[in-house]
Amino acid sequence: MALIERQSIVEGLIRILGKENVITDEQVLKESSLDRYRKYEQVCEVYTQPIPAAVVYVHSTEEVADVLKFANEYQINIVPRTGHSAIEGGLETALENSVVVDGSQMNKVLKVDQYNMQVTCQCGVPLQDLDDMLREQGYTTGHSPQSKPLAQMGGLVATRSIGQFSTLYGGIEDMVVGLEAVFPNGKICRIKNVPRRSVGPDIRNIIIGNEGALCYITEVTVKIFKYRPENNQFMGYTLDNMKTGFEVLREVMVEGYKPSIARLYDPADGAMSFSHFAAPGKCVLIFTTEGPAAIAEATAAGIKEIVVRYDECEAVDPKYIEKWFSHLNWGPEQIAQEREEIKATQNIGITTEVSGCWDCIYEIYDTARRRIMEEVPDITLIGGHSSHSYINGTNMYFVYYYNIVDCPPEEEINKYHNLINRIICEQVVQYGGSIAHHHGLGKARARYVHEEYGSSFYMLDTLKKAFDPNGIMNMGTLIPLRK
């Protein structure tokens, strides 16, 4: 708990940032107390989390440092925020009189370095704007999560984000070159931009994925790549079962091919996007290749050689896949439409993403899906897809819908969402996978952090105690609050 009262917190922040940058409007504070993990509460405008003392806008690294030093002195919980697109509770203000520090106005692209193939920008630069600008110059970040129209660079790095083209370009951790971050005591740390170092642990990874629980990311440098959309190759197939699909994905990865997209949908999930070409009960397998023409064509040819050996895989017109490819992302319009649909139907869709090695991913998928069907009331759909593959395994992105039946908004989270998350996490832990692939732990899955980390939890706990001894950084995220 903060050492000073709410009014004194606000007055102190005004002294640092000016009155115009300290927001205390009640509705803004309520909306800033949660993220899209509590989607139904958002839709119903029911706010069950402690309302923050203020939302503040910072414009420089130095201002971030001043705010954190103030918070550290008076033990005020800080929730770092940029694009506000989080969906795992990482932006919930779990403690009374928290302060949301919003970096969205730190939105300058500082340098596009075409010779060294990297771009440096402040934390609040929107990914969509950055990539649009780069593409006009013939480049791309290669990073394209579904939240691309909403997400900003600081949050993407903080949550260890991954994009839909990750099988070629990698996750955000593969793209980050250097960083600047501010720690709770106000210390500003900069990690220089070099292609690789062998000088001890890779300290970038203390910052990447810290979810605002260790520090506040203020600046990011990421790689850029040549953008050649005219060379894209599209392939799609229908098949009878997920086991076969996982085998195809595995063989493609083990043979060393690098498609930008490699996806496998089960019948339930596939029916939502591909019913125009996939018969009921069919799975859908999708590949996209890109890059220099010779590489894109050779990669596509190699994948086709693999798929043709599986008799149950039937090719579909590539134009279907190309059309799907052009509508991958969700922006404000889609979110607003979803909110209206939830209000009208009382049916809500949620996702949970996990990962596992090739020898366990099917069991994770199958057992979690079966348990959800048996144990969760009012389920209207449970399915999923694999969308990010590696030489040693893949992810599973569960998609589920349920009707809200005789349930007040403040009870929905435990009756449905938390229950489904628990089932999935239990099955993942049982089979040795990871309980979060790219959305982060947030506060929603932090309760399973000990099972996830095992004996290595000592390392995470030590980092938290060392860098945040007064416990001011996004408490309850990564490491759950002690009850």
Side-chain angles (χ1 to χ4, degrees):
M1 301 294 290
L3 299 180
I4 54 177
E5 62 182 13
R6 191 180 187 89
Q7 185 59 36
S8 297
I9 293 172
V10 172
E11 291 170 356
L13 293 168
I14 290 173
R15 285 195 296 271
I16 296 169
L17 299 172
K19 189 173 183 178
E20 68 278 9
N21 293 309
V22 180
I23 311 303
T24 57
D25 177 83
E26 189 70 15
Q27 186 60 30
V28 172
L29 296 183
K30 288 178 178 178
E31 293 172 358
S32 298
S33 68
L34 75 176
D35 60 28
R36 293 187 71 236
Y37 184 77
R38 296 178 183 270
K39 189 186 296 187
Y40 191 62
E41 291 181 21
Q42 277 187 329
V43 168
C44 298
E45 298 186 12
V46 171
Y47 304 100
T48 60
Q49 302 306 292
I51 305 303
V55 174
V56 301
Y57 289 95
V58 287
H59 300 86
S60 69
T61 300
E62 290 70 28
E63 285 188 353
V64 174
D66 289 342
V67 170
L68 293 194
K69 283 188 285 188
F70 170 72
N72 201 43
E73 180 179 358
Y74 294 107
Q75 297 184 21
I76 303 162
N77 184 52
I78 294 293
V79 178
R81 185 179 82 183
T82 50
H84 206 172
S85 61
I87 59 175
E88 293 299 334
L91 299 183
E92 292 177 9
T93 49
L95 296 179
E96 294 287 345
N97 292 328
S98 297
V99 173
V100 177
V101 180
D102 190 300
S104 62
Q105 295 182 17
M106 294 177 65
N107 56 10
K108 295 184 179 67
V109 177
L110 301 175
K111 183 178 182 181
V112 179
D113 186 344
Q114 297 177 358
Y115 191 76
N116 290 313
M117 295 296 286
Q118 56 196 31
V119 59
T120 301
C121 56
Q122 291 180 309
C123 60
V125 169
L127 176 58
Q128 185 77 61
D129 293 352
L130 177 63
D131 214 42
D132 287 349
M133 180 197 72
L134 289 171
R135 288 182 176 189
E136 288 178 1
Q137 301 175 34
Y139 300 94
T140 178
T141 62
H143 198 58
S144 187
Q146 190 180 47
S147 61
K148 187 175 182 179
L150 302 167
Q152 297 174 5
M153 294 304 293
L156 291 166
V157 174
T159 54
R160 208 172 185 86
S161 165
I162 206 163
Q164 295 168 109
F165 312 143
S166 69
T167 311
L168 176 61
Y169 296 106
I172 197 74
E173 68 274 16
D174 303 302
M175 301 171 178
V176 170
V177 179
L179 294 158
E180 180 186 78
V182 184
F183 286 83
N185 61 0
K187 176 67 176 178
I188 300 169
C189 294
R190 176 178 288 274
I191 301 174
K192 64 183 177 182
N193 301 329
V194 291
R196 189 179 188 274
R197 292 196 287 179
S198 179
V199 285
D202 188 346
I203 56 173
R204 291 175 302 178
N205 286 302
I206 294 174
I207 295 173
I208 299 170
N210 88 91
E211 298 190 44
L214 299 179
C215 60
Y216 194 109
I217 298 167
T218 52
E219 187 180 301
V220 178
T221 299
V222 294
K223 301 171 187 175
I224 59 176
F225 305 87
K226 288 289 186 74
Y227 181 55
R228 302 181 175 98
E230 68 278 4
N231 297 333
N232 289 3
Q233 303 277 315
F234 302 97
M235 294 158 281
Y237 305 88
T238 61
L239 60 159
D240 294 331
N241 66 80
M242 291 291 282
K243 275 190 175 180
T244 301
F246 284 128
E247 286 301 317
V248 175
L249 288 179
R250 178 186 175 278
E251 191 169 349
V252 167
M253 299 308 298
V254 168
E255 290 302 318
Y257 293 108
K258 294 290 183 182
S260 58
I261 288 179
R263 288 192 172 208
L264 170 67
Y265 288 77
D266 78 352
D269 195 9
M272 291 192 290
S273 301
F274 309 113
S275 59
H276 53 297
F277 67 76
K282 287 285 188 177
C283 302
V284 176
L285 187 61
I286 290 172
F287 296 100
T288 301
T289 68
E290 60 183 80
I295 292 177
E297 292 167 6
T299 302
I303 291 171
K304 290 175 183 176
E305 286 181 7
I306 291 172
V307 177
V308 76
R309 295 199 291 268
Y310 292 82
D311 293 338
E312 71 180 79
C313 293
E314 297 182 9
V316 303
D317 189 335
K319 290 182 180 178
Y320 288 130
I321 312 307
E322 185 173 4
K323 183 178 180 181
W324 165 85
F325 180 85
S326 64
H327 296 88
L328 288 177
N329 298 330
W330 266 49
E333 181 180 337
Q334 288 80 9
I335 289 176
Q337 181 180 344
E338 181 192 49
R339 289 171 66 95
E340 293 306 311
E341 289 175 353
I342 292 170
K343 288 179 182 179
T345 66
Q346 295 297 292
N347 181 259
I348 188 167
I350 313 281
T351 62
T352 300
E353 31 56 71
V354 302
S355 67
C357 293
W358 293 117
D359 63 357
C360 71
I361 194 65
Y362 178 79
E363 283 72 22
I364 290 172
Y365 157 74
D366 189 53
T367 59
R369 184 177 58 90
R370 290 176 185 276
R371 281 192 62 191
I372 290 167
M373 291 171 62
E374 294 169 358
E375 299 176 30
V376 181
D378 311 312
I379 284 286
T380 60
L381 182 145
I382 170 64
H385 60 266
S386 164
S387 48
H388 307 277
S389 287
Y390 312 88
I391 197 168
N392 60 326
T394 190
N395 83 310
M396 193 66 220
Y397 198 101
F398 288 96
V399 178
Y400 41 93
Y401 284 74
Y402 48 84
N403 288 326
I404 310 294
V405 179
D406 298 325
C407 181
E410 57 270 26
E411 296 177 14
E412 173 272 337
I413 199 77
N414 287 320
K415 182 176 179 180
Y416 299 106
H417 197 174
N418 284 343
L419 172 59
I420 295 171
N421 253 352
R422 176 175 63 78
I423 291 170
I424 292 172
C425 288
E426 286 176 354
Q427 297 311 113
V428 170
V429 169
Q430 178 180 338
Y431 287 99
S434 175
I435 63 172
H437 177 261
H438 61 269
H439 288 164
L441 283 178
K443 297 177 182 69
R445 282 183 266 183
R447 68 195 72 184
Y448 308 107
V449 69
H450 293 90
E451 291 90 337
E452 168 74 17
Y453 272 78
S455 61
S456 67
F457 177 76
Y458 164 79
M459 300 167 67
L460 179 66
D461 193 42
T462 300
L463 283 174
K464 179 67 173 174
K465 291 173 180 174
F467 287 116
D468 187 21
N470 290 331
I472 70 156
M473 296 302 292
N474 209 2
M475 293 301 288
T477 295
L478 291 187
I479 297 174
L481 290 171
R482 293 180 177 89
K483 299 296 184 181

